[in-house]
């Protein structure tokens, strides 16, 4: 029995089993087995076969965005509209066969946009170069899921399922569970909140499935067995995802309104170039980027060439970005902008910068 058959068998067993208090241990065990087999499926085979061709695209710019979607939903058209790169677009499926990078220039930042080949059902098992596509998506900062507005919710559910099965968790925070395997001493189990989904027996069963008998587990939130398995496996990627419904010019205005009000969703039309500016604004928010301008003593700020940082960056991060030796020679900085109580404010290395702040660094 191959791994794929085992996975299918466990999935059938899970769907057959009623979800109640009596079966939760059985279900927890099945989910742990399922996660284990899926991890084996993603590992490259040990036999020395011909190496598959991957999509080696060098990371460049300030952030990386991956375009994922079924064939013929408008990914290549979107790339050609947003960037100066021309990606071949035609009315047949699988026009794009490899990864095509482009660069969006927005608010002084260079955002790398990757046009990936269309995903089909069963991509996680390697169908239609699905594994390479998903491997590239794991390295992105944000995933844009391109969906055909005329096809309803089917595409979104299928794509979420494919990404879920390879360990990509969309728009979800990392579970707040402390887990540390130990050399001995058995299982130390604690929780700071009342748990409704997990119990000590279930945690023990799941750990035994992974051959872990000595560990420290602390639940800081009411997590499900699935989230606990994610913490044990440890190779899960938690990333923001923007659901983009294309071809809205072909559906009714009521349907457009319904899709636009869904969480993390934007409606656009690449054919008629509708709502693309709002999509860029949303993308900027999801990437959590900020612009910081520098200023020399006695001169006007340089608004032409901003430093692009992540939200939550401190003055120390800005120093390292300018030059690696600057932080060691740092005396103080003067900051103008929304992060200060008054302008200019004299600040130290730990001061958190905000969007469009101006900074002047004084050395020792």
């Amino acid at each position: 029995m191959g791994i794929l058959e085992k996975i299918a068998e466990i999935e059938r067993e899970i769907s057959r089993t009623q979800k109640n208090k009596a079966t939760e241990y059985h279900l927890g065990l099945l989910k742990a087995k399922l996660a284990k087999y899926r991890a084996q499926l993603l590992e490259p085979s040990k036999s020395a076969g011909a190496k598959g061709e991957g999509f080696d695209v060098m990371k460049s710019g300030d952030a990386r965005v991956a375009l994922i979607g079924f064939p013929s939903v408008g990914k290549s058209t979107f790339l050609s509209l947003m960037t100066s790169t021309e990606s071949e677009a035609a009315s047949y499926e699988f026009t794009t066969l490899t990864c095509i990078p482009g660069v969006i220039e927005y608010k002084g930042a260079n955002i790398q946009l990757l046009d990936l080949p269309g995903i089909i059902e069963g991509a996680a098992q390697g169908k239609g170069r699905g594994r390479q596509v998903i491997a590239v998506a794991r390295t992105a900062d944000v995933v844009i899921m391109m969906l055909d507005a005329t096809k309803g919710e089917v595409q979104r559910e299928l794509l979420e399922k494919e990404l879920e099965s390879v360990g990509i968790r969309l728009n979800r925070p990392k579970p707040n569970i402390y887990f540390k395997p130990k050399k001995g001493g058995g299982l130390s189990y604690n929780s700071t909140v009342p748990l409704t989904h997990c119990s000590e027996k279930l945690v023990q069963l799941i750990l035994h499935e992974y051959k872990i008998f000595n560990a420290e587990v602390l639940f800081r939130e009411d997590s499900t067995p699935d989230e606990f398995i994610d913490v044990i496996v440890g190779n899960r990627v938690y990333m923001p995802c923007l659901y983009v419904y294309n071809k809205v010019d072909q559906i009714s205005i009521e349907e457009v309104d319904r899709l636009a009000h869904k969480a993390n969703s934007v409606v656009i039309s690449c054919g008629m170039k509708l709502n693309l500016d709002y999509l860029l604004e949303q993308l900027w928010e999801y990437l959590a980027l900020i612009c910081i301008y520098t200023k020399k003593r006695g001169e006007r700020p340089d608004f032409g060439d901003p430093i692009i940082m992540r939200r939550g960056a401190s003055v120390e991060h800005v120093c390292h970005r300018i030059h690696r030796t600057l932080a060691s020679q740092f005396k103080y900085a003067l900051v103008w902008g929304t992060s200060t109580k008054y302008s200019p404010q004299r600040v130290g290395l730990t001061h958190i910068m905000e969007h469009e702040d101006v900074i002047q660094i004084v050395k020792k």
Side-chain angles (χ1 to χ4, degrees):
M1 200 185 205
I3 294 177
L4 284 174
E5 287 84 24
K6 285 178 183 173
I7 288 175
E9 181 60 41
I10 292 172
E11 282 176 340
R12 279 198 297 275
E13 177 73 17
I14 289 175
S15 61
R16 278 200 304 265
T17 310
Q18 281 185 333
K19 290 175 179 62
N20 57 38
K21 199 77 182 155
T23 59
E24 65 177 17
Y25 298 125
H26 178 57
L27 278 170
L29 210 55
L30 286 175
K31 283 174 180 172
K33 279 183 179 165
L34 190 60
K36 210 162 92 177
Y37 286 135
R38 278 184 177 153
Q40 283 176 22
L41 193 64
L42 287 177
E43 283 168 13
S45 58
K46 300 284 185 286
S47 59
K51 189 172 181 287
E53 196 184 323
F55 302 135
D56 294 326
V57 180
M58 195 175 146
K59 215 168 182 174
S60 71
D62 301 296
R64 189 178 213 183
V65 177
L67 274 176
I68 277 191
F70 278 92
S72 285
V73 289
K75 297 187 295 297
S76 300
T77 316
F78 177 72
L79 181 89
S80 304
L81 277 174
M82 289 300 197
T83 70
S84 53
T85 310
E86 283 296 321
S87 181
E88 191 186 343
S91 56
Y92 55 87
E93 296 192 342
F94 292 108
T95 320
T96 307
L97 294 172
T98 181
C99 177
I100 296 169
V103 176
I104 302 174
E105 290 175 5
Y106 185 67
K107 291 187 180 176
N110 290 332
I111 301 165
Q112 188 182 36
L113 187 65
L114 301 178
D115 177 20
L116 296 167
I119 280 187
I120 53 173
E121 208 177 337
Q125 281 86 46
K127 279 189 192 171
R129 306 197 77 180
R131 275 196 209 169
Q132 288 107 310
V133 172
I134 288 166
V136 173
R138 283 174 77 97
T139 65
D141 298 304
V142 168
V143 167
I144 288 186
M145 199 182 277
M146 284 292 261
L147 303 161
D148 192 333
T150 58
K151 300 268 169 69
E153 297 300 304
V154 189
Q155 290 191 344
R156 178 168 171 170
E157 284 162 18
L158 283 171
L159 281 172
E160 279 178 344
K161 193 175 155 211
E162 291 296 331
L163 295 179
E164 192 85 9
S165 65
V166 293
I168 296 177
R169 304 285 177 261
L170 302 175
N171 296 328
R172 264 197 272 162
K174 210 170 178 178
N176 196 353
I177 302 171
Y178 173 75
F179 169 72
K180 188 182 178 188
K182 297 188 296 188
K183 290 279 189 296
L187 176 66
S188 154
Y189 169 87
N190 279 305
S191 65
T192 57
V193 289
L195 298 181
T196 56
H197 305 291
C198 284
S199 66
E200 187 167 359
K201 187 183 167 189
L202 180 57
V203 166
Q204 206 165 1
L205 275 170
I206 291 170
L207 287 172
H208 283 195
E209 185 60 42
Y210 282 94
K211 310 260 187 307
I212 298 170
F213 303 99
N214 306 299
E216 212 174 309
V217 179
L218 171 63
F219 282 81
R220 295 198 183 96
E221 63 182 16
D222 187 12
S223 300
T224 61
D226 290 333
E227 289 173 329
F228 179 57
I229 291 166
D230 286 349
V231 171
I232 298 169
V233 176
N235 63 353
R236 304 299 191 230
V237 181
Y238 298 86
M239 57 168 63
C241 173
L242 198 53
Y243 300 100
V244 176
Y245 291 91
N246 189 16
K247 307 182 185 177
V248 290
D249 49 310
Q250 297 174 18
I251 57 174
S252 66
I253 194 77
E254 291 80 25
E255 183 68 2
V256 173
D257 192 49
R258 188 184 71 80
L259 293 174
H261 280 89
K262 289 173 87 73
N264 309 310
S265 300
V266 177
V267 291
I268 63 161
S269 168
C270 290
M272 295 178 73
K273 299 182 182 172
L274 299 173
N275 212 23
L276 296 175
D277 50 349
Y278 176 67
L279 172 55
L280 275 179
E281 278 175 38
Q282 286 294 98
L283 188 58
W284 181 265
E285 283 301 312
Y286 274 67
L287 286 167
L289 296 175
I290 56 170
C291 296
I292 292 161
Y293 302 104
T294 53
K295 177 186 179 305
K296 286 182 182 172
R297 197 172 188 166
E299 292 182 24
R300 294 184 70 78
D302 177 14
F303 290 120
D305 188 18
I307 297 171
I308 307 296
M309 303 292 290
R310 288 292 155 109
R311 203 178 293 146
S314 64
V315 173
E316 190 173 1
H317 292 120
V318 178
C319 290
H320 283 299
R321 178 61 71 88
I322 296 168
H323 198 275
R324 63 179 186 274
T325 61
L326 191 56
S328 56
Q329 301 169 348
F330 178 89
K331 189 177 181 186
Y332 66 88
L334 295 173
V335 176
W336 292 255
T338 52
S339 68
T340 58
K341 292 191 178 80
Y342 47 87
S343 292
Q345 185 175 333
R346 185 171 162 162
V347 297
L349 282 173
T350 54
H351 177 76
I352 303 297
M353 304 294 285
E354 285 181 15
H355 185 47
E356 293 187 337
D357 277 0
V358 175
I359 186 168
Q360 178 188 322
I361 295 168
V362 179
K363 294 200 286 188
K364 284 174 184 166

